Amino acid sequence: MLPCFALALVASMWITLFHQMGVERAAAHHDAVVGSQALARVLSEHVSHILRQSDHATQLFKLKFEETDGALRLPEFSQRNGLLDSVLPAKLNLPMALLDRDGQVVDSANGFAAAGAAGAPWFQALARGSGDTPQFTTPLIEARSGKWMIQIARRLNAGAGRFAGAIVIMIDPLYFVDDYDRVHVDDEAALFLWAHDARLTIGRVGERLFVGEKLGFRARSHGSDELVPTAPPDRIERIYSFSDMDRYALVAVVGITERSAMAKFERHRIRYLSMALGATLAIVLVTALLMRQSARLRASMRAARDAQATSRAAAEGSLDGVMFLKARRNAHGELLDFSITDINDKGAALFGHARADLIGQGILPLLPGGVEPPFLARYAQVLSESRPLEEEVELRTPGERVAWIRHQIVPLPDGVAVSWRDISARKLAELEISGNRGFLQSLIEHLPLLIYVKSVRPASFGTMVVWNKAAEAATGYAADEVIGKTDCSAFAPDFALCSPEEDRAMMASPAAVDLPEKPLRRPDGELRYLHTVSVPLFDNDGVIEYILCIAEDVTRRHEQDQNLRNSEAQLTAITNASPLGLIRADLRGACTYVNRMFETITGLAREQALGRGWKDALHPQDRDSLDGIFQHQRRNAEPFKKVVRCLHPDGRLVWASIKVAAVRIGERIEGFVGTIDDITTLLEAEMALRESEARLRTIADTLPAMVAYIDANQVYRFHNRAYDREFGGGGACMSGMTVRQTVGEKRFATLEPYILRALKGETLVFEEHDEGDGGERALEVTYIPQLGEDGVTVVGFHVMRQDITSQKREKKRLLKLAQVDALTGLANRAGFLHKLGMAMRESADEGQLMALMYMDIDHFKPVNDTHGHHVGDALLKAFSARLTQTLRASDTVARMGGDEFTIIMEKLARPEDAAAIAAKIVGAMQAPFELGTVTVSVSASIGLAYFSGGAADPDALLQQADMQLYQAKQAGRNTWRAAA
């Protein structure tokens, strides 16, 4: 039944697992479809936004076109910071065209390549209709370029609502999917725009753009949000969903890879399968163990029956006396005696009775007395502790010889089994041998030499039989760890005294082996050296039975010899590696040794330098000066020093520094030791350094900038003439002074934070302003830290100061010119945008109301066309002057270009104040303008927008004011409109 139960349990577990994985897979697939649909909605919103902005661009062009009576052209409309920039990103560069009433291209921009459209259905629909509805076309092929484009067209009207043509904007659908990063997907996801009516699909698959008519989509099932491609773009499995854009006849489709979408499910699936496999293995293992245990139980029962029969047969055939005893107890459970339940004939003979007479009798009367502890106590102890007992017992009876028996007691259930044998003869022989061996062992243990004996008998080859205390001390192995074990099992594999090859070699050629120095590695890692003598020991037949080894520890002597050799080698290596030439001479000044550096410096080989030859390396004029060296050293303790010239064999002159000292032992001089150092490079470097410092001083003094070096204690260590003229220190008096002493307390308080930052390792560039007799000066100051030799510690910093007063003044003048309109003297577009940003940030920070007016002059173009541009310019000047007089002194007026003006009004108490000023401006501009001999009448239209907090977005505020200006124009001009 156990295997059947385990099989049913495993089957039910796997059925449940597969059902759960199916449920989770369906849920994961549904979540992937929902996620893909959300991404598709993001893409569709992006496309719809661009198309709406394009629609707004055509509406804005229509408004300006009709306002200028058809004079507006595309270059003016699409110029930088123009009308088109306010609604569409400039980077699009969308192809555009202006068509006349006959469908011919009047103007185009950004590579518009389409021909006339007089017969096109969309153009005919615009010509016949009178509304303001744009015409959107599904993606179509542009005739000349062959590209798929989306076309947006809007009707343009002339006077009295007559059809004047159309504005057309073309958008490449690839823009919506190429490099679009708002849809956060992996590198293998797919983005598509699907125009099912036009049978066109445009998209991006990973980093590859896809344009084609073959790829389409169909719903996986009726009512499902998941799509299936009719012709997959590649071999990667994806989950697609969509978002409709009914207005534009487009569908946004996003496909995420099935691998990433189902990754979480796959992790769960692997985890479930691992757990199920583990549980299955555990069930199989437990079932197998239970079945094996059952089999073992049956086998043990059979073995117990066989053992009982075998035990009976063994007892009968044994040479030992064997008996089985059962405990006798009183009513309180106390042990009184043991009764014999069985005994063999050998045992009955030892007691002097027949076997049948002893069975059932108590054992206590039969046991010998005078044995401590008594045999009955031994039996009771084994029964109570359930532990076998084996011992050799001495029996002494009055008037009889001493007898020894080998006694074994084994516990049984409520009894014991006892076996015994007479071993008196063997025991007496062992005692005699033990006495002799004890004497020999005592002798061996107290010898200071390492002594061990190993067996080379075939049955016990390598077994250690003797291991004295000296061997323990020398090797680190205790006798208990060695005796009775083979050398291969007792010692480490590389232990010197464990060498089966040497043992076999001695057996092949029996003779004593003397090894003066044998390395031995102790267990603690210490290396020792032994002088060993191995001697073969023979049996009566002349066969090698044992190997005796006697060894002496010679580690100390070996170390002394090795240290001496090492010292000599190290001294030779040190002298040869020394950067100085070394020479050793005797009392007469004769050279006995030179190192390699001496040979390199002087060019003399060691054989040439020995004796008096070393002096040949010196210049002839310097040789005689060395004769007094040795006499000087005999009289003085300090070394002799001198700079000499060496004449190299190749003709080079080498400058060298020689030092000689006497080797003194007590008061006696045993010789001389000298060094020679090549200082040619050092002398040349000193001369080059002096020349370099002179050149650096000349260059620094000719620089127009002020240059100085200040150390970590803020003390001047170097400065050029320009720096000296600035602070009037008189040259040398400034060196060694601190910055505080040089510049004064007031200026030092300003400079100190920069100095501290420079000393922390920061490179600084800042401006310093100095108010002198000639007015305020601007200085550009640079602090450059100087690092020490470790590359980390700052040891000072360099200072460069340069007068930039004239550059600052010129920069201010140019900046002012760049922000002023040349004709009216008002702020231009750049000045206006700069001021508007500052005003909005101040308004947001202070929580105060501000307003922006966007205005233009009504009917300005007819004045230009009728009277000429000089009259138009005069009108702009007069209009600007009257406008300035109407406003507050705190208001900012700017001319945006042409006849457009803006006004920034800050710190308003309420919105009605700005509205009152707008009405005042409209009224003031209604009076005629006297322009020399010409009198003109114009009016003003104003758009008004407010700002009091939130994100400061000047473009949004300007666009809001522009929309209000548009509303004022629509209301008939000569008025103003304000935002809520």
Side-chain angles (χ1 to χ4, degrees), residues 726 746-747 768-779 805:
E726 172 71 14
K746 181 178 179 181
R747 183 177 291 183
E768 182 182 354
H769 297 277
D770 180 21
E771 296 181 1
D773 298 336
E776 182 178 359
R777 290 190 309 159
L779 299 169
T805 306

Side-chain angles (χ1 to χ4, degrees), residues 842-863:
E842 291 178 0
S843 175
D845 293 341
E846 299 175 2
Q848 292 186 343
L849 179 67
M850 64 166 287
L852 173 64
M853 291 186 185
Y854 201 147
M855 70 170 63
D856 68 358
I857 304 175
D858 299 330
H859 309 297
F860 176 75
K861 188 175 183 304
V863 174

Side-chain angles (χ1 to χ4, degrees), residues 160-177:
R162 291 178 292 101
F163 177 62
I167 175 68
V168 180
I169 295 180
M170 309 291 282
I171 302 178
D172 188 348
L174 281 177
Y175 167 74
F176 301 121
V177 295

